[in-house]
Amino acid sequence: QVQLVESGGGLVQPGSSLTLSCDTSPFTLSYYAVAWFRQAPGKEREGVSCHGPHDGRTDYIDSVKGRFTISRDNAKNVAYLQMSNLEPEDTATYYCAIGGVMCVMKGGLYNGMEYWGKGTQVTVSS
């Protein structure tokens, strides 16, 4: 099964920035909503941010608003998650996913995601 490929994770200090990338090839990103999720050890996976395919609407969970920015380059089939002012609580494996044509949050997850990546680790620690 084809999987998306995330990159850009790493070990950083609190207050630092990271930009995650998600290569969605061979899928045509412009057809889909794209979302980022994360899962910390011992916790459930949660939706972090989503970007709709047509109207440019974005969505963020409260804990990352003002610090994270989701974007997409449909020409390159790549999505991004710019993360700034990182906190230890942001430590998790981050996954990207694509699916559907809208960002609908339900039960802490964005619904309708069909294709997923394997994840990239982000660790925020001093």
Side-chain angles (χ1 to χ4, degrees):
Q1 184 178 0
V2 177
Q3 289 186 302
L4 314 183
V5 179
E6 303 95 337
S7 62
L11 171 63
V12 297
Q13 293 186 339
S16 299
S17 299
L18 276 177
T19 297
L20 306 183
S21 299
C22 175
D23 184 349
T24 69
S25 301
F27 303 106
T28 302
L29 180 59
S30 61
Y31 294 167
Y32 301 98
V34 59
W36 288 92
F37 298 77
R38 66 186 181 186
Q39 187 166 17
K43 295 188 177 180
E44 294 186 352
R45 187 173 297 189
E46 65 174 349
V48 174
S49 181
C50 186
H51 194 308
H54 303 304
D55 58 9
R57 288 185 179 181
T58 57
D59 185 73
Y60 300 91
I61 56 173
D62 287 345
S63 61
V64 307
K65 284 180 180 177
R67 301 189 298 121
F68 289 13
T69 303
I70 190 171
S71 61
R72 57 196 293 157
D73 185 336
N74 289 338
K76 296 181 179 178
N77 290 321
V78 178
Y80 304 95
L81 185 68
Q82 295 174 278
M83 307 184 294
S84 62
N85 197 20
L86 283 161
E87 303 170 353
E89 293 73 22
D90 297 316
T91 295
T93 301
Y94 284 71
Y95 302 87
C96 69
I98 58 173
V101 294
M102 294 177 64
C103 294
V104 179
M105 171 72 84
K106 192 172 185 179
L109 298 171
Y110 291 105
N111 277 11
M113 296 297 133
E114 301 176 57
Y115 305 103
W116 291 78
K118 292 184 178 181
T120 186
Q121 179 67 36
V122 173
T123 303
V124 185
S125 176
S126 55

